[in-house]
Amino acid sequence: MTDTSANPMDQVADARRHEMATEHLLFGTIRFLAQRHPELLDELDRSLDHLWDRAEGENRDDEAVRKIAGRIIKSLRAES
């Protein structure tokens, strides 16, 4: 693993790659589980009201975060 602490752009790129890898693994895991337990998607859908944006100030948009999660659930439903 390389040390990217000196270059902020490298840190941003590394964080983006980490986020993409994490999203891929979580999406695959949810897809796998939902194929065996279809009620999982219903439960996730019901939990969206508790989802919020960790940003502060005018950048905070809880509804945008919920909308993204809802689209992910919708795409998982389409695959099953």
Side-chain angles (χ1 to χ4, degrees), residues 4-47:
T4 58
S5 59
N7 186 339
M9 293 305 289
D10 287 345
Q11 289 177 336
V12 169
D14 191 48
R16 181 180 51 79
R17 291 177 189 124
H18 186 271
E19 181 179 352
M20 290 171 60
T22 302
E23 286 177 8
H24 172 77
L25 294 173
L26 287 174
F27 191 84
T29 301
I30 294 170
R31 181 188 312 122
F32 176 84
L33 290 172
Q35 288 172 345
R36 286 148 183 81
H37 303 280
E39 69 278 8
L40 173 66
L41 297 179
D42 295 333
E43 186 66 29
L44 289 173
D45 208 17
R46 285 190 294 271
S47 76

Side-chain angles (χ1 to χ4, degrees), residues 32-76:
F32 176 84
L33 290 172
Q35 288 172 345
R36 286 148 183 81
H37 303 280
E39 69 278 8
L40 173 66
L41 297 179
D42 295 333
E43 186 66 29
L44 289 173
D45 208 17
R46 285 190 294 271
S47 76
L48 294 183
D49 289 341
H50 303 285
L51 186 58
W52 53 280
D53 188 350
R54 292 176 35 181
E56 296 186 19
E58 63 184 45
N59 290 328
R60 183 174 177 162
D61 190 345
D62 297 340
E63 193 54 40
V65 174
R66 291 181 190 121
K67 188 175 182 178
I68 292 167
R71 285 194 313 246
I72 292 170
I73 293 169
K74 185 177 179 179
S75 69
L76 285 164

